[in-house]
Amino acid sequence: MPAQTIDEVILRLEQIISDSITTDNRAGYFAALYHKVTCRVKQGIASGEFQDGPRMEKLDVVFANRYITAYDEWTAKNKPAVSLSWQIAFTQLQKRSVLVLQHLLLGMNAHINLDLGIAVVDIAREYNIPLQQIHQDFNSINTILAALSYEVINELNRISPLLSLLGKHSGNNSLLIQFALSNARDGAWCFAEDLFNNGNTIASRDQDINKLGGSIVTTKGFIRLTVFIIHLFELKNPSRITTILRDYQKTYIKVH
């Protein structure tokens, strides 16, 4: 059954994290990051940071259920039911050569660039309100996701001590430039507007985001060599990595 409340979402994410640690599954990486985001949203609702607290909880639940449902379908071997955007993220979980950062970006790619726009439109239609009325809530949840994502990525040095080498490629078409959270935010809202006003764009959007996911893991030239070197010195134990990501704590930003 889909989660009905934000507490149920948090519990379900904790189950995914726990199962991933037990089974040495790299799916725990994104689940650990997303757990922090959801706990932060719950905190923000309780402290009145959002335009409409109950509606924000509903948005968070609808949004999270898209990831949870995709994960459940994938683990149940019902792969055709999973969006192409999530298929590429889950497929890469079996590959040892993919960096932890790439796994996190693949999850964010599917969840922000596809799922968020769909969730926002679903809420606008359920509440029978103009899409623009929910834009502030959209920006708030995206700000939280972006801020915590950057914090976690910055803390990946414990897991991937040579990760900063990717900065050497800032002038190239590197995976970090291909997936910029600010661009993802703008693209997700444009997709939501198009879906709300015109409909029938999910399949084509899914194909585009799947291709973007492919660009995150398909590196060429010097950056491919850099990724290989980074991987050599990166922690290889998925359970330990998930535990580090789960236990990392930092002061949350406040959304105004």
Side-chain angles (χ1 to χ4, degrees):
M1 292 292 293
Q4 301 297 315
T5 67
I6 197 167
D7 285 330
E8 290 182 9
V9 169
I10 291 171
L11 177 61
R12 187 69 187 91
L13 292 172
E14 289 172 350
Q15 291 172 341
I16 295 174
I17 294 167
S18 178
D19 290 345
S20 297
I21 292 174
T22 300
T23 60
D24 232 21
N25 192 329
R26 296 176 183 87
Y29 302 170
F30 180 74
L33 168 63
Y34 197 38
H35 181 265
K36 296 179 190 300
V37 173
T38 308
C39 289
R40 176 62 187 89
V41 172
K42 179 182 177 180
Q43 181 191 63
I45 292 171
S47 60
E49 293 181 32
F50 301 115
Q51 185 180 32
D52 186 321
R55 191 178 67 198
M56 173 56 83
E57 177 170 4
K58 182 69 174 179
L59 172 58
D60 184 272
V61 171
V62 171
F63 183 37
N65 275 333
R66 291 195 59 83
Y67 160 62
I68 294 169
T69 300
Y71 173 83
D72 287 343
E73 294 282 3
W74 185 264
T75 55
K77 311 300 182 184
N78 190 15
K79 294 176 175 53
V82 180
S83 67
L84 297 175
S85 303
W86 276 115
Q87 283 185 33
I88 189 169
F90 293 143
T91 299
Q92 299 302 313
L93 296 176
Q94 307 302 318
K95 299 181 180 180
R96 292 174 54 87
S97 60
V98 177
L99 300 179
V100 175
L101 173 61
Q102 290 172 303
H103 284 300
L104 293 176
L105 292 178
L106 284 168
M108 289 187 284
N109 177 55
H111 207 38
I112 297 175
N113 285 327
L114 182 70
D115 291 345
L116 183 56
I118 296 172
V120 168
V121 170
D122 285 347
I123 293 300
R125 288 173 175 167
E126 179 176 339
Y127 281 78
N128 195 27
I129 58 176
L131 187 65
Q132 191 64 34
Q133 195 169 323
I134 206 170
H135 197 189
Q136 184 174 327
D137 288 343
F138 170 91
N139 282 336
S140 296
I141 199 168
N142 223 327
T143 297
I144 290 171
L145 183 56
L148 293 184
S149 298
Y150 278 125
E151 284 187 6
V152 171
I153 289 171
N154 287 336
E155 289 297 316
L156 282 180
N157 286 333
R158 296 175 57 191
I159 296 167
S160 189
L162 296 186
L163 190 63
S164 61
L165 290 177
L166 283 175
K168 304 294 184 182
H169 298 277
S170 58
N172 298 327
N173 192 27
S174 73
L175 73 155
L176 291 178
I177 294 176
Q178 289 167 8
F179 186 86
L181 283 171
S182 59
N183 291 337
R185 170 188 294 183
D186 294 340
W189 181 254
C190 289
F191 165 55
E193 289 183 317
D194 194 31
L195 180 61
F196 185 80
N197 295 320
N198 304 316
N200 302 320
T201 62
I202 293 178
S204 59
R205 176 71 175 182
D206 190 23
Q207 291 177 346
D208 291 341
I209 302 312
N210 172 264
K211 291 177 182 178
L212 180 56
S215 72
I216 291 172
V217 291
T218 304
T219 55
K220 299 179 181 179
F222 286 115
I223 192 170
R224 183 175 184 178
L225 176 61
T226 301
V227 168
F228 174 75
I229 293 172
I230 293 170
H231 179 261
L232 286 178
F233 292 89
E234 191 169 77
L235 291 181
K236 302 298 190 295
N237 186 315
S239 294
R240 185 181 176 194
I241 293 169
T242 299
T243 300
I244 291 172
L245 292 172
R246 179 194 65 186
D247 294 343
Y248 164 66
Q249 299 290 334
K250 191 167 183 176
T251 302
Y252 293 139
I253 66 163
K254 187 168 184 177
V255 177
H256 297 284

